[in-house]
Amino acid sequence: MRDAIVRLDKAAKAFATPEGRQVKALDGIDLEVGRNEFITLLGPSGCGKTTLLQAISGFVELDSGRITIDGEDMTDRPPYKRPVNTVFQNYALFPHMTVGANVAYALEVAGVAKAERTERVKAALQMVGLEGMEGRLPRQLSGGQQQRVALARAIIARPKVLLLDEPLSALDKNLRQSMQLELKTLQHELGITFIFVTHDQQEALTMSDRVAVLSNGLIQQLDTPRTIYDHPASTFVANFVGASNLFEGRADGTTFVTNDGAPIQLASASAAGNATALIRPEQFFLKSYTDAYPAIDVTVEQIVFVGSSFELFGRTAAGRTLVAEIPATQRAAVGALDTGAQARWYYDPAMVHIIGGQAEVVA
Ligand SMILES: Nc1ncnc2c1ncn2[C@@H]1O[C@H](COP(=O)(O)OP(=O)(O)OP(=O)(O)O)[C@@H](O)[C@H]1O
Ligand SMILES: [Mg+2]
């Protein structure tokens, strides 16, 4: 990457557990984060997300490998001398200090004069939608407001890179969704690089320029949200990001034959060999929109209404359970189905994605 602001080169960190094992929290990570990029680290609990952030902030010391920020080697530099700041999940505000004092803290430590501090606190609070709340104590604010104070406190010193470790996970769903969009807007306005951690795949897809999917201390795939979703590089990524119907079998030209002998049509020829075919639930239709759409025959087992859509569970003749997501606008077609009914689930061959190798199970 030409204009990388953060660069990790074979970053490795192992922890000795109290049970006497070694855990590779970072197993030799190479990563380049672009200037002003919003990048998200996504992965299951324990995969190394927090360790990776803390290696960048300097709170975790690497066993080996190097970290550069804006062209300068940070590997041996203490946290307070790195041009980064962190926003944590639990806000970590000083409870006895007012909002204004909390936000001003870093400037005070840096010896910024009072008049300038007051101005900058005002601007930072305005940026996060909390103007005029300088005098309140953290306990006089809602959870969402406290998280905004934490954000204002982290951006006031204009770090080059902002690290955010699951900053929204304590918020309820609606607030969380509006904060997701606000954070994205704020990042644009500030022109600061954001490295954001979540284990919520929807959040990662919504907010990020690129998503790094991690497991076991390794980056499994690093790509735009659309590529991660439409072209997962492995069955682990396919399973972790979005719901998946995965079929193990063999690709052979434009036909894929599942291990239980059912054909799946492909739009273009795939290299012959063992592979896994992926059809996302929303790629199934209850009717064929063109003559060219093939179908999979299922027995409908369950119909679940989830508001904007229906989730249909169906079983193939070979006993495989599949899931289809049908938009709620097609309620008439869904209403015609009962559990136990036979149905044809159509799909567009162009939307079948082939993943090399056999399916792995998400831990
Ligand atoms: N100080 C420590 N001592 C021992 N093991 C640790 C320490 N910190 C982290 N680990 C281990 O390293 C691995 C990665 O931990 P990390 O906190 O980076 O995961 P995470 O992806 O942030 O998970 P979560 O989503 O639960 O926050 C885990 O197996 C964890 O148990
Ligand atoms: Mg963590």
Side-chain angles (χ1 to χ4, degrees):
M1 183 179 291
R2 246 192 19 240
D3 199 17
I5 185 156
V6 178
R7 206 182 287 268
L8 276 82
D9 185 21
K10 300 194 174 48
K13 178 73 187 177
F15 290 109
T17 69
E19 303 82 38
R21 285 193 310 121
Q22 286 276 318
V23 177
K24 285 183 179 170
L26 304 178
D27 196 5
I29 290 205
D30 290 325
L31 173 66
E32 288 188 346
V33 181
R35 202 173 292 277
N36 297 344
E37 190 174 28
F38 194 127
I39 199 163
T40 296
L41 311 177
L42 173 70
S45 185
C47 70
K49 304 181 294 294
T50 296
T51 308
L52 184 51
L53 277 198
Q54 294 195 331
I56 297 170
S57 63
F59 289 107
V60 156
E61 203 179 320
L62 293 180
D63 297 334
S64 60
R66 305 217 73 80
I67 294 180
T68 335
I69 300 177
D70 212 7
E72 289 189 59
D73 195 320
M74 294 286 143
T75 317
D76 301 314
R77 201 183 280 200
Y80 67 94
K81 286 190 177 163
R82 299 190 186 195
V84 305
N85 214 329
T86 309
V87 181
F88 298 98
Q89 174 181 355
N90 56 3
Y91 328 135
L93 299 176
F94 303 118
H96 57 284
M97 279 163 51
T98 62
V99 165
N102 263 286
V103 175
Y105 186 74
L107 299 183
E108 207 174 328
V109 172
V112 175
K114 183 150 199 300
E116 187 186 338
R117 280 200 321 253
T118 309
E119 265 318 294
R120 283 173 70 178
V121 166
K122 206 172 153 201
L125 286 177
Q126 189 169 11
M127 207 158 251
V128 299
L130 290 181
E131 48 273 81
M133 297 213 184
E134 284 91 336
R136 293 212 199 174
L137 288 169
R139 67 165 181 275
Q140 295 168 319
L141 299 173
S142 71
Q145 290 168 331
Q146 290 183 51
Q147 191 52 278
R148 283 164 210 251
V149 175
L151 199 61
R153 188 179 56 176
I155 59 179
I156 197 160
R158 293 287 167 126
K160 287 181 181 164
V161 180
L162 192 63
L163 309 173
L164 303 104
D165 197 351
E166 311 223 20
L168 306 182
S169 60
L171 308 179
D172 67 51
K173 189 162 177 262
N174 286 338
L175 185 55
R176 189 176 175 140
Q177 283 176 343
S178 67
M179 285 283 292
Q180 285 171 1
L181 298 176
E182 282 178 33
L183 265 182
K184 185 111 187 85
T185 311
L186 188 66
Q187 190 249 346
H188 261 281
E189 287 172 6
L190 289 171
I192 295 179
T193 304
F194 275 33
I195 306 182
F196 185 93
V197 163
T198 184
H199 56 248
D200 179 334
Q201 44 105 3
Q202 202 64 47
E203 190 161 284
L205 296 180
T206 307
M207 300 180 76
S208 323
D209 296 319
R210 286 190 304 160
V211 178
V213 182
L214 273 81
S215 83
N216 298 324
L218 280 171
I219 294 178
Q220 303 293 327
Q221 189 171 3
L222 172 61
D223 243 312
T224 62
R226 283 187 184 196
T227 305
I228 293 268
Y229 189 81
D230 289 338
H231 303 286
S234 65
T235 53
F236 173 84
V237 175
N239 270 321
F240 197 75
V241 182
S244 301
N245 296 294
L246 292 171
F247 305 84
E248 287 186 20
R250 273 188 75 77
D252 190 3
T254 55
T255 305
F256 180 93
V257 183
T258 67
N259 284 348
D260 44 42
I264 291 176
Q265 299 307 320
L266 309 177
S268 54
S270 183
N274 288 337
T276 303
L278 163 67
I279 303 180
R280 296 285 189 191
E282 69 276 15
Q283 298 300 344
F284 280 126
F285 308 101
L286 293 179
K287 64 175 188 177
S288 183
Y289 290 93
T290 79
D291 292 342
Y293 281 6
I296 297 176
D297 291 313
V298 300
T299 306
V300 176
E301 291 203 312
Q302 211 181 353
I303 301 173
V304 183
F305 177 59
V306 290
S308 58
S309 62
F310 294 89
E311 270 177 14
L312 271 55
F313 294 86
R315 190 174 285 271
T316 65
R320 178 193 291 276
T321 298
L322 300 180
V323 57
E325 185 187 329
I326 307 297
T329 46
Q330 292 174 31
R331 59 185 72 228
V334 176
L337 291 174
D338 263 326
T339 49
Q342 294 299 308
R344 312 208 76 194
W345 287 2
Y346 296 89
Y347 60 93
D348 176 356
M351 298 310 292
V352 180
H353 174 62
I354 298 294
I355 302 167
Q358 299 287 312
E360 324 152 36
V361 178
V362 173

